[in-house]
Amino acid sequence: MLSSRTVVAVASSSSFLPLSHPAAASTSSSASAAAASYPFLNRRLAFSQCHTNRDRSIIPKPQRSRVMEGFKTRAAAAAPQLEDADALIDSVETFIFDCDGVIWKGDKLIDGVPETLDMLRSRGKRLVFVTNNSTKSRKQYGKKFETLGLNVNEEEIFASSFAAAAYLKSIDFPKDKKVYVIGEEGILKELDIAGIQYLGGPEDGDKKIELKPGYFLEHDKDVGAVVVGFDRYFNYYKVQYGTLCIRENPGCLFIATNRDAVTHLTDAQEWAGGGSMVGAVLGSTKQEPLVVGKPSTFMMDYLAKEFGITKSQICMVGDRLDTDILFGQNGGCKTLLVLSGVTSLSTLQSPTNSIQPDFYTNKLSDFLSLKAAAV
């Protein structure tokens, strides 16, 4: 039991160990040889048998069977609408909230969110915000929360930019290796804090390929990982450079912060998400990425360890079925879908949808109205 109850918030925007080594897709012997040359990959190769083909998530085989059985059960019956908010709140110690589509849309706060978070804090819950969006660092997200009038500490924020750096640290990424970044400032800042060398990022946004006879693009042979996140400065140069690193540098990792199809850059419409950038590199390398954002279990495991959270006492609240709700289900949590973001009621109740949350509701502030109605 935790000394203080816990609420965790996660922003939207899939785990991370491929079935085979990127530089050794052809044979297992070449994978072993690459691992011998790069000892930090041994841990990664050892975990490869725990890997699922669908989203490259680390889910141990026994747990994976339970998850799949759960999917079949949920597919048979649509999720019920939340009616008793108090019962749900009292049943867990931790709430994990997605942000885009749950807390805000673009730079606009969703109505009723401050009052709802205040109510949860007053009931002894802790708030931690985790986002799949990698464009900002934890510190930069802290400023966004402040701008929106939400009092959130930097230690309560976990972005996929941070997750990428944390993952590299967790596998003892070699000090003499570099990371090539296809992404924005958030990733660079988190790599800086982690003491990891990098190149690329926004400064490569203006670089061009000279398509003329004999043109040859040089790349850094010391790049040991390519990290791909949402990138508004995405171009052909970055695709080619990242592709060369992954294809030609032995043991080079292909890491994605997320594979979200869409994101909320503004509250007016949906915009192409980080998955579109990841897809371009995947298409040219034919390698599946190691995804550190939702629905990968990496962030859930990290949070559980960091805060001493019991996973069975967590409720995941999000607006996306294939990232937020699957993230919660993969972690063994209760799940609540809000319809204020990406997923519509018709999508949730479609016969083709196999991912069903434990409950759904229209928006986060329903916690207040449903609580009042119960009284």
Side-chain angles (χ1 to χ4, degrees):
M1 191 73 176
L2 297 174
S3 57
S4 64
R5 293 194 164 196
T6 315
V7 177
V8 185
V10 186
S12 41
S13 107
S14 280
S15 121
F16 27 76
L17 301 177
L19 286 169
S20 62
H21 188 277
S26 58
T27 65
S28 58
S29 60
S30 57
S32 300
S37 300
Y38 296 87
F40 75 99
L41 292 174
N42 287 332
R43 177 177 175 182
R44 182 174 161 232
L45 289 169
F47 275 116
S48 64
Q49 296 306 313
C50 298
H51 198 62
T52 66
N53 288 327
R54 179 187 174 278
D55 63 3
R56 297 305 194 245
S57 293
I58 292 181
I59 306 176
K61 289 181 179 179
Q63 180 183 341
R64 192 160 72 225
S65 297
R66 292 195 297 272
V67 170
M68 294 312 297
E69 288 172 6
F71 289 166
K72 294 174 184 177
T73 301
R74 292 184 181 94
Q81 187 167 7
L82 181 66
E83 295 181 352
D84 190 342
D86 270 339
L88 178 59
I89 293 169
D90 290 339
S91 71
V92 295
E93 296 174 344
T94 303
F95 279 91
I96 301 182
F97 292 98
D98 173 49
C99 293
D100 293 331
V102 178
I103 304 298
W104 60 61
K105 271 191 167 184
D107 290 322
K108 183 179 180 181
L109 197 63
I110 295 175
D111 291 342
V113 165
E115 297 83 356
T116 305
L117 299 182
D118 286 345
M119 179 271 291
L120 290 169
R121 285 188 188 275
S122 73
R123 294 181 65 162
K125 313 294 181 177
R126 177 188 296 164
L127 280 70
V128 181
F129 300 81
V130 187
T131 170
N132 259 3
N133 190 326
S134 62
T135 60
K136 295 180 176 66
S137 65
R138 297 171 82 181
K139 189 176 189 66
Q140 289 172 313
Y141 268 109
K143 292 179 180 177
K144 177 168 183 173
F145 279 105
E146 184 179 354
T147 300
L148 293 173
L150 299 175
N151 184 22
V152 177
N153 296 325
E154 184 180 328
E155 293 73 22
E156 297 174 322
I157 302 168
F158 291 85
S160 62
S161 53
F162 172 82
Y167 173 74
L168 289 168
K169 287 185 69 175
S170 76
I171 63 169
D172 298 323
F173 188 71
K175 296 289 186 184
D176 61 342
K177 291 294 176 181
K178 303 173 187 176
V179 174
Y180 181 68
V181 178
I182 300 176
E184 300 192 17
E185 190 179 17
I187 299 172
L188 306 188
K189 287 185 176 295
E190 294 295 354
L191 291 175
D192 251 339
I193 294 170
I196 297 173
Q197 300 181 74
Y198 63 83
L199 64 154
E203 72 174 28
D204 281 359
D206 294 328
K207 294 182 179 179
K208 300 184 184 300
I209 297 290
E210 297 181 45
L211 295 179
K212 61 183 181 180
Y215 180 74
F216 183 89
L217 180 63
E218 297 282 355
H219 73 283
D220 194 324
K221 300 298 193 295
D222 290 330
V223 170
V226 175
V227 174
V228 183
F230 182 78
D231 189 348
R232 285 167 288 191
Y233 313 99
F234 191 68
N235 59 24
Y236 188 67
Y237 175 91
K238 294 183 180 185
V239 175
Q240 177 66 2
Y241 199 101
T243 296
L244 290 172
C245 293
I246 294 169
R247 281 182 178 173
E248 299 184 12
N249 291 3
C252 184
L253 305 175
F254 174 18
I255 298 173
T257 61
N258 69 86
R259 297 178 77 165
D260 291 354
V262 298
T263 189
H264 293 113
L265 295 179
T266 69
D267 62 346
Q269 64 179 168
E270 292 179 347
W271 298 79
S276 59
M277 292 82 190
V278 174
V281 179
L282 186 155
S284 61
T285 62
K286 302 301 181 184
Q287 296 290 342
E288 287 288 334
L290 297 72
V291 186
V292 294
K294 298 170 293 178
S296 154
T297 58
F298 176 73
M299 284 203 289
M300 180 74 77
D301 293 340
Y302 189 95
L303 288 166
K305 182 178 179 181
E306 182 79 4
F307 293 103
I309 300 170
T310 303
K311 293 180 184 178
S312 62
Q313 291 294 306
I314 295 173
C315 179
M316 173 65 209
V317 182
D319 69 315
R320 298 172 185 251
L321 294 168
D322 60 347
T323 54
D324 302 326
I325 301 307
L326 192 57
F327 176 68
Q329 291 176 350
N330 286 347
C333 310
K334 291 184 176 70
T335 54
L336 173 66
L337 177 77
V338 292
L339 304 177
S340 54
V342 170
T343 306
S344 65
L345 183 59
S346 60
T347 298
L348 171 65
Q349 296 179 340
S350 169
T352 62
N353 171 41
S354 62
I355 304 174
Q356 293 289 336
D358 292 301
F359 303 99
Y360 78 88
T361 194
N362 290 317
K363 57 188 180 302
L364 185 58
S365 60
D366 287 348
F367 271 169
L368 300 174
S369 59
L370 291 172
K371 182 176 182 295
V375 175

